Amino acid sequence: MLIGGYSTGCIAQGNTVTACATGIYVETAAASTDTTVGTSGDLRGVVVNANHISGIVTVGSSLFGNGINVSYAAGSSITNNVVHTCQGDGIASDSDRCTISGNIVSNTWMTKSAPAQLGGTKAGIRVYGNKASIIGNQCLDTQTVRTQSYGIA
């Protein structure tokens, strides 16, 4: 599922996504700053709520494989999702002022090595943005051979 190109204010809720390169990919507007979009000053935030995402695999040498990926979408809320069996991060966000809460993320980075730009670190939830709120999430690795370095990084 792709939410892109100035799709501010969208809601992705109650979906089941499986067996693709990225479960839900949010990139509302690529720009050099992640605070507003256009001249109106609107926040780029979207809501990703109560989705079930599993079986996410990479395609070729791409960095994808994340269950939920939020980029250039300041003020987004990623809440109450169940994300498991991904070849990348369960949830990844490089956007500022996002809220990531109440999610259950398990068994990520199943067969893929973390790329060099991530320093080889593997996480259930990965946050790059400023001023994020990360509240009440559960990150689990129940595999016989553990593959997550961190629950949250």
Side-chain angles (χ1 to χ4, degrees):
M1 177 182 297
L2 171 65
I3 300 172
Y6 299 101
S7 299
T8 59
C10 286
I11 299 172
Q13 181 170 311
N15 301 289
T16 299
V17 181
T18 189
C20 51
T22 296
I24 298 176
Y25 186 78
V26 176
E27 187 170 319
T28 55
S32 60
T33 181
D34 191 27
T35 55
T36 62
V37 65
T39 57
S40 65
D42 295 335
L43 291 179
R44 295 183 179 148
V46 300
V47 174
V48 179
N49 181 57
N51 299 286
H52 184 188
I53 300 163
S54 66
I56 305 304
V57 297
T58 56
V59 175
S61 62
S62 74
L63 293 176
F64 297 108
N66 296 334
I68 298 171
N69 198 87
V70 177
S71 186
Y72 294 107
S76 291
S77 296
I78 302 110
T79 57
N80 304 311
N81 298 286
V82 175
V83 182
H84 61 91
T85 56
C86 300
Q87 285 187 340
D89 295 318
I91 298 172
S93 173
D94 67 5
S95 299
D96 296 337
R97 296 178 315 283
C98 284
T99 299
I100 301 172
S101 69
N103 300 288
I104 300 172
V105 178
S106 64
N107 300 336
T108 61
W109 290 99
M110 295 189 64
T111 59
K112 183 180 172 190
S113 297
Q117 59 265 47
L118 299 181
T121 302
K122 301 173 178 182
I125 298 173
R126 180 185 307 277
V127 178
Y128 298 96
N130 295 313
K131 299 180 182 178
S133 297
I134 306 165
I135 305 164
N137 299 285
Q138 297 177 47
C139 295
L140 313 161
D141 191 341
T142 60
Q143 302 168 99
T144 303
V145 176
R146 305 284 196 253
T147 57
Q148 283 180 202
S149 303
Y150 298 94
I152 300 173

